Every structure is written in C-alpha cells, then in structure tokens.
Amino acid sequence: MSTDRIEKQIVLKAPRERVWQAIADSGRFGTWFGIVFEGPFVAGQRVAGRIVPTRVDPEVARLQEPWNGMACDFHIECIEPMSRFSFRWHAYMEGPAEDPQGLAMTLVEFVLEDQGEGTILRISESGFDRVPLAHRAKAFAENADGWAMQTQLIAKYLALPA
C-alpha cells in the first residue's frame, strides 16, 4: 500500500460531457465539492476559493461546517478537455486559522473514461511523502476518507436534474 498516493474510482451514471463539466467548471465543481471560487479554472493559474458546505448532501454539509469560510487555493496544472483535469493544493492544515504558506502541496488528478452509458471517474492525490512526517499519516487518512466522500457527492450532484 502506497503512503504517497490515494486512488479512488467510481462509475457515474452520466455522460462524459456532463461529468467533465462537473469537474472542470469551477462553479459546478464548487457546488458538489463545497467551495466557492473567485474565478474559473485556467491551466497554469491559481484560483482562490473558500470552503462552504456542499449543496448536494445536508449530512456532509454539517461535517464541512467547521471549515466554512476557510481559504483554499487551487493551482491548476492541467486541463485536457473531456479527459484529464489536475490541480495542486495544500493537503493538510491544522485548522482554519493556519497559514498555508510553506506547507507541502499535493497533486490531485481527475481522469475520465467511457464505460457503456456511463463514465469512469478516477481520482488520485499524490505527494504525501512531502508532507512533514508529524502530519503525514493524518493528512493521508483524512484525505482518503475525504475522496471517498467526494466520489459520492459528485454522484449525487450528477443525479440531480441538469
């Protein structure tokens, strides 16, 4: 088992184009993920955001409430339309008051593949070996749980009427 990389996969009952819009459009991404961004996702650029409770699951929204308003920056790495989207972010912070400057960033990648009438979404996050040892295990475990939850949130989002 890798301590540097988290991998999740889900088959979504939605066409590839709709899944792509849900991950590559900052407004749609924020709706299910739980972030309000200040602008669009653009490769090679940073986009600032702040955590807000997800709008697709009230139970998960309650879990996100302690982080409401916390700054969250995405550094967009790659946008390959209908195929791959990736960004870097700060994998771990002690709490909303912590300044992320100098903290290790991990790489998050979303890869799409057709599967029958649905779409396979593969999510990976790598770079945990750069997180300071004192925080690494907790960051890895929390993000692994978080990505499991996010796969369910995007499925719920895509089940809503378009």
Side-chain angles (χ1 to χ4, degrees), residues 96-139:
E98 185 172 1
D99 181 1
Q101 293 296 85
L103 294 179
M105 296 182 92
T106 56
L107 176 66
V108 176
E109 296 179 279
F110 294 82
V111 176
L112 303 181
E113 181 182 323
D114 292 329
Q115 167 123 28
E117 294 183 25
T119 304
I120 297 172
L121 171 61
R122 290 186 177 89
I123 303 170
S124 64
E125 183 175 8
S126 59
F128 286 92
D129 286 351
R130 290 189 304 269
V131 174
L133 190 56
H135 301 295
R136 188 177 305 152
K138 184 175 181 182

Side-chain angles (χ1 to χ4, degrees), residues 26-27 29-30 33 35-41 47-50 72-74:
S26 63
F29 184 101
F33 194 89
I35 296 179
V36 172
F37 291 100
E38 294 177 3
F41 295 149
V47 62
R50 61 183 168 76
C72 183
D73 291 344
F74 281 27

Side-chain angles (χ1 to χ4, degrees), residues 19 24 46 74 85 91 107 134 137 143 150:
V19 177
R46 172 189 159 271
F74 281 27
F85 170 67
L107 176 66
N143 286 24
Q150 291 297 348

